[in-house]
Amino acid sequence: MSFHSVTQAPARLNRSELAVPGSQPQMFEKAAQSDVDVIFLDLEDAVAPDDKVQARKNIIEALNDIDWNTKTMSVRINGLDTHYMYRDVVDILEQGGERLDLIMIPKVGTAADVYALDMLVTQIETARGSQKRIGFEHIIETALGMQNVNEIAAASPRNESLHFGVADYAASTRARTTIIGGVNKDYSVLTDAQPDSDGGRERHWGDMWHHALSKLVIAARANGLRPVDGPFGDFSDADGYVAAAKRAAALGYEGKWAIHPSQIELANQVMSPGSEEVDRARRILEAMKQAAEQGKGAVSLDGRLIDYASIRQAEVLVEKANQIAAG
Ligand code: GLV
Ligand code: MG
């Protein structure tokens, strides 16, 4: 390990994160009763400019009045380039009561954006004598944000998670896609033309989001934050959603957005370690404990090598399983 120790963000389940427009208060109760881990009430892109003020009022009322049970509660404020943002922060923090846990900041571009928000939130909390510290979720969804993701991730002790906002990211980078979070068959490889074969060539689709997803996960984990994958727009395509969530989970992501209630269960399933995986992790820990008692650093289990790195992986899995069980 490095001498530099990474402080981990507060442990929260973040397998699924439901987007709920602040302008649609009739959806709030259903969201509160769902199985989602985190809810963000949206003031940004799901709300039309003429509805912003009313949406803010709806959210303040809902944070005070609805029983959100054990859900982690967040509000997505408007971007720093809009004149809505300061009032989103001031009104929500001053009038939203103690139920709010996080603020979600869209289109973060630089570490200075985070600094500015931190200053504003700190002033409000200090003036109110708040006991609770609001955390930050950042959506990385512009070329600028992705370029500066490492500095953004390190910019405030309030930081808890980084989210890959694929829709705006595609717009910002001018990527060619039409479905939010979907892929493009042009991002593919064609197998070689074989002069002496029957000419059959195959096209293999690539994951055009791989680099961005991967870059974000590194920045998040290097700073003790949760990496969370963003939206998948075609909510009638459960298979497409699950495939996208599995790709993210394989890279180390902890959760994925649900832009429709039907996606909550899918995210919870993909982002929870399977019982076989957890059993094996527990067996690894047991086998390594016995190995340590015999003075050995590496042993074999089920015909495969396990060593101290296996312990760390197994511990992460078991810790996650315990967190879900306590959930
Ligand atoms: C989320 O905000 C996105 O743009 O994907
Ligand atoms: Mg966006």
Side-chain angles (χ1 to χ4, degrees):
M1 287 290 180
S2 165
F3 186 56
H4 173 89
S5 75
V6 176
T7 308
Q8 298 296 317
R12 297 182 196 276
L13 271 186
N14 204 161
R15 297 166 304 172
S16 50
E17 181 145 349
L18 182 65
V20 184
S23 49
Q24 307 282 328
Q26 73 282 4
M27 294 181 173
F28 292 175
E29 278 290 350
K30 194 175 166 201
Q33 281 155 28
S34 71
D35 283 331
V36 80
D37 290 336
V38 184
I39 295 175
F40 78 81
L41 303 173
D42 193 13
L43 285 169
E44 199 221 13
D45 278 357
V47 179
D50 286 350
D51 297 337
K52 298 274 188 201
V53 173
Q54 185 57 46
R56 222 183 261 140
K57 289 186 185 147
N58 297 341
I59 289 178
I60 290 169
E61 203 177 298
L63 284 172
N64 284 296
D65 295 350
I66 291 182
D67 177 4
W68 298 101
N69 212 316
T70 55
K71 309 250 175 295
T72 293
M73 294 304 298
S74 181
V75 171
R76 178 163 77 169
I77 59 173
N78 285 284
L80 281 90
D81 58 329
T82 72
H83 64 83
Y84 305 112
M85 190 224 81
Y86 82 98
R87 194 147 284 292
D88 290 345
V89 178
V90 173
D91 287 3
I92 300 285
L93 290 195
E94 286 191 347
Q95 300 166 41
E98 290 299 307
R99 190 57 189 77
L100 188 68
D101 301 296
L102 306 167
I103 289 179
M104 175 180 267
I105 304 156
K107 301 181 184 68
V108 178
T110 68
D113 288 345
V114 184
Y115 186 85
L117 248 305
D118 197 349
M119 181 210 63
L120 183 56
V121 170
T122 301
Q123 288 197 14
I124 299 169
E125 283 182 354
T126 309
R128 301 188 69 234
S130 305
Q131 296 305 310
K132 185 170 177 179
R133 184 173 79 177
I134 294 291
F136 288 166
E137 320 186 88
H138 299 295
I139 317 180
I140 304 300
E141 52 182 343
T142 59
L144 184 65
M146 193 56 82
Q147 176 177 266
N148 295 320
V149 66
N150 297 341
E151 291 76 21
I152 290 168
S156 167
R158 293 181 187 274
N159 287 355
E160 286 205 13
S161 54
L162 298 182
H163 299 241
F164 179 50
V166 67
D168 274 303
Y169 187 73
S172 171
T173 55
R174 303 185 196 186
R176 295 190 177 177
T177 51
T178 44
I179 299 171
I180 293 176
V183 287
N184 183 333
K185 69 172 170 17
D186 288 344
Y187 195 80
S188 57
V189 290
L190 190 61
T191 53
D192 281 352
Q194 302 288 346
D196 46 357
S197 78
D198 60 5
R201 298 174 75 176
E202 291 167 20
R203 182 173 294 282
H204 297 283
W205 292 37
D207 178 5
M208 63 187 286
W209 309 118
H210 173 77
H211 174 71
L213 283 167
S214 195
K215 188 168 172 181
L216 187 149
V217 85
I218 296 166
R221 293 299 187 194
N223 289 279
L225 313 182
R226 299 184 292 277
V228 180
D229 192 19
F232 186 82
D234 185 354
F235 55 79
S236 52
D237 179 9
D239 289 347
Y241 180 91
V242 167
K246 283 187 169 174
R247 286 201 311 275
L251 285 176
Y253 277 69
E254 240 171 271
K256 183 162 176 64
W257 287 17
I259 49 124
H260 186 272
S262 64
Q263 296 178 334
I264 296 171
E265 195 43 43
L266 302 177
N268 285 351
Q269 262 175 29
V270 174
M271 297 296 170
S272 303
S275 55
E276 272 176 31
E277 249 180 307
V278 179
D279 283 352
R280 182 168 157 78
R282 292 208 162 98
R283 287 172 52 227
I284 287 175
L285 293 180
E286 188 49 41
M288 284 305 292
K289 197 170 137 220
Q290 284 173 16
E293 280 162 14
Q294 295 160 16
K296 294 184 197 157
V299 285
S300 78
L301 180 71
D302 304 337
R304 294 189 205 143
L305 176 89
I306 55 170
D307 64 7
Y308 284 105
S310 322
I311 298 190
R312 287 186 287 276
Q313 289 178 22
E315 279 172 349
V316 166
L317 261 171
V318 170
E319 192 185 304
K320 168 68 62 178
N322 291 343
Q323 204 185 8
I324 292 167

